[in-house]
Amino acid sequence: MSRRRRLYEGKAKVLYEGPEPGTLVQHFKDDATAGNGEKHEVIDGKGVLNNRISEFIFTHLNELGIPTHFIKRMNMREQLIREVEIIPLEVVVRNVAAGSICKRLGVESGTRLPRSIIEFYYKDDKLNDPIVAEEHITAFGWANPQELDDIMSMAVRINDFLCGLFMSAGIQLIDFKIEFGRLYEEDTMRIVLADEISPDSCRLWDIKTQNKLDKDRFRQDLGGLVDAYREVAQRLGILSEADNALATGPRLVK
Ligand code: 5GP
């Protein structure tokens, strides 16, 4: 049996060579890390839930005409994606202050921002992904001004869609991180959304209780991460109660 070639292994995902040229397989691991890998745990069921939640969101974005790398989900942990050239930026959109902006600017966590803010971080583990300005991005050639315009207008549209989606599930979208890539097709190139959107990369607070339904449960040692992710999936209508087995892997059918 032929083994797939592993092209890249990150903290929470692995990329394998895809079945057709120009495609890859994105595999969601159960690994959770924080503090640039200083804290690490394997959380049974996380990868399966993130695969489903990210599939759901990317499918809707594709339908809305926001181009993404997503083609289809293949199985419990894997999706087929288009191969793109990743732009080395983490694009963070914030609606409410939480996390690093509170430390950096002394804003109280939970403060609604006067308008949504887009920030850029340069993807480099050795440098701890530093925050950068548009000037750095264009000066160092990580993206050109036209690409940055495309990225920002897509980030705003994605935020609008996600805010509405989560709001209808009783969840407030505090902030999220996305990544973009260049998709080359014949002699054209366009910017598409890449990576994933899941409770690993968003802050999601229950509107009524303010309970955290995201990776901060791991970062802050709150416990109950898989239950929180499953709650998000159920409220979005992705998992029915009966589907709960999906989060913990196969079960014996009696
Ligand atoms: P902060 O800058 O406050 O730490 O994070 C802002 C948002 O981006 C949060 O929703 C956080 O989960 C997400 N985020 C920032 N950096 C990363 C990262 O390296 N990986 C993931 N999965 N999410 C990130």
Side-chain angles (χ1 to χ4, degrees):
M1 199 174 89
S2 69
R3 298 204 69 208
R4 285 179 309 187
R5 205 152 61 92
R6 186 194 316 222
L7 302 176
Y8 166 83
E9 176 145 14
K11 296 180 195 112
K13 291 190 293 294
V14 187
L15 292 180
Y16 295 98
E17 204 169 52
E20 312 278 341
T23 65
L24 301 176
V25 173
Q26 176 164 258
H27 176 107
F28 289 76
K29 302 195 285 184
D30 280 339
D31 298 61
T33 63
N36 199 8
E38 276 163 33
K39 183 173 169 178
H40 175 239
E41 247 176 68
V42 176
I43 302 179
D44 194 22
K46 180 175 83 79
V48 171
L49 285 161
N50 280 349
N51 186 24
R52 292 291 295 265
I53 295 169
S54 201
E55 171 202 15
F56 180 81
I57 292 172
F58 276 61
T59 301
H60 279 289
L61 292 174
N62 280 339
E63 284 167 4
L64 281 174
I66 297 171
T68 81
H69 72 166
F70 178 81
I71 303 173
K72 64 169 187 179
R73 185 168 61 85
M74 299 171 73
N75 56 47
M76 302 264 278
R77 289 188 179 272
E78 293 178 332
Q79 36 187 254
L80 185 66
I81 59 168
R82 287 182 212 289
E83 184 171 21
V84 298
E85 179 183 277
I86 288 287
I87 293 172
L89 296 173
E90 294 191 341
V91 180
V92 169
V93 183
R94 299 183 189 274
N95 300 305
V96 173
S100 70
I101 195 174
C102 299
K103 284 196 207 127
R104 196 179 320 113
L105 302 180
V107 191
E108 195 184 336
S109 181
T111 310
R112 171 151 282 287
L113 298 167
R115 62 182 178 84
S116 303
I117 292 175
I118 302 180
E119 296 172 342
F120 301 100
Y121 295 80
Y122 177 50
K123 265 166 73 79
D124 187 323
D125 283 345
K126 286 195 289 309
L127 300 175
N128 264 326
D129 300 342
I131 190 164
V132 292
E134 287 177 43
E135 286 278 287
H136 298 112
I137 296 169
T138 50
F140 291 111
W142 299 323
N144 67 35
Q146 175 61 54
E147 291 173 332
L148 255 187
D149 271 1
D150 290 351
I151 287 172
M152 284 194 281
S153 64
M154 283 166 72
V156 169
R157 289 182 70 197
I158 293 165
N159 186 44
D160 286 345
F161 166 71
L162 290 178
C163 280
L165 177 77
F166 285 118
M167 182 67 74
S168 67
I171 295 170
Q172 191 177 16
L173 176 64
I174 305 301
D175 58 30
F176 61 98
K177 184 268 298 181
I178 43 182
E179 298 186 23
F180 292 88
R182 297 184 186 93
L183 177 64
Y184 293 94
E185 287 168 319
E186 288 158 17
D187 21 350
T188 63
M189 185 283 287
R190 60 191 172 128
I191 302 289
V192 303
L193 180 69
D195 195 52
E196 71 177 299
I197 298 181
S198 73
D200 264 11
S201 55
C202 301
R203 283 199 175 89
L204 303 170
W205 294 359
D206 183 281
I207 288 176
K208 282 205 193 108
T209 63
Q210 302 285 289
N211 268 351
K212 294 178 174 150
L213 301 171
D214 57 61
K215 198 175 151 191
D216 275 350
R217 300 208 71 84
F218 169 72
R219 297 187 188 102
Q220 299 171 6
D221 294 318
L222 299 172
L225 179 133
V226 164
D227 287 342
Y229 285 28
R230 195 182 299 129
E231 173 82 26
V232 172
Q234 269 170 4
R235 288 204 205 174
L236 291 175
I238 303 169
L239 290 187
S240 64
E241 305 263 335
D243 269 337
N244 271 347
L246 280 173
T248 50
R251 282 186 187 167
L252 282 177
V253 178
K254 289 188 187 139

